[in-house]
Amino acid sequence: MTPNKIKSPLDCINEIGAVLSGIALLLMMIMGALDVFLGKVFNTPVPGTFEATETLMVVSAFLAIAYNQQVRGHIKVELFTSRMSPGLQIKFEAFNYLLSSIFFFLLTWQGWRFGIESLKVGEYESGLIAFPVYPAKILLALGLTLMTLQCLRDLVMAFKNIFKTEADHST
């Protein structure tokens, strides 16, 4: 993205998700180190570290996934596509975004189903301390929603590229 280009609301939300993901990673690191230190030195580990780390892991993974897609950070194997013509590559990319949109839509739908159900029943995980599960499930669904929206945006852009390429070839 060029510096002069105005960011879309989705870009801004994806960036916020990436920052929150980084904060979650930092908190996991601090909590883990503190838990080990206090456990080894004072024989008193921090209660709830395991449960909090589980929730923070969901935040870390799922709030950053759409940003990673936005900046094209996902692993891409080009063994076959690199041998395709540019026009065919664009069509293949559009097909990929179509499948990704469908896949992430289905995950999003189920994620919201389970997240809302968890919220309704006030689901908690039993452990050293009662830790709520529903925030992680809601954040998972939110991250999947952002990924679905990003895939749909990428699909629209791929179709624009297809029509632009075909228009360029017809002139």
Side-chain angles (χ1 to χ4, degrees), residues 5 10 28 30-31 38 40 44 50 64 75 81 88 123 126 128 141 145 148 158-160 165-166 168:
K5 187 176 179 183
L10 184 59
M28 281 192 298
I30 291 169
M31 288 174 58
L38 292 175
K40 293 291 181 186
T44 55
F50 178 76
I75 296 171
T81 57
L88 191 56
E123 185 178 3
S126 60
L128 293 175
T145 301
T148 301
F159 275 118
K160 284 183 180 178
T165 304
E166 288 178 358
D168 290 346

Side-chain angles (χ1 to χ4, degrees), residues 57-150:
M57 203 171 295
V58 169
V59 171
S60 175
F62 285 93
L63 288 186
I65 193 170
Y67 176 75
N68 203 25
Q69 175 65 25
Q70 174 186 318
V71 298
R72 303 295 183 259
H74 292 290
I75 296 171
K76 187 176 178 182
V77 179
E78 299 176 340
L79 183 65
F80 299 111
T81 57
S82 63
R83 293 168 169 52
M84 294 178 185
S85 67
L88 191 56
Q89 284 181 5
I90 293 170
K91 290 175 184 169
F92 188 78
E93 189 173 79
F95 181 68
N96 177 33
Y97 291 138
L98 175 65
L99 291 180
S100 296
S101 297
I102 293 168
F103 175 75
F104 281 105
F105 172 77
L106 293 172
L107 288 177
T108 300
W109 168 44
Q110 292 302 308
W112 281 111
R113 252 187 77 223
F114 290 122
I116 290 169
E117 185 61 32
S118 179
L119 179 64
K120 282 181 185 176
V121 299
E123 185 178 3
Y124 278 80
E125 183 176 323
S126 60
L128 293 175
I129 58 172
F131 206 84
V133 174
Y134 57 87
K137 289 186 177 185
I138 296 293
L139 289 171
L140 178 140
L142 177 63
L144 289 170
T145 301
L146 294 173
M147 182 61 172
T148 301
L149 293 173
Q150 183 64 46

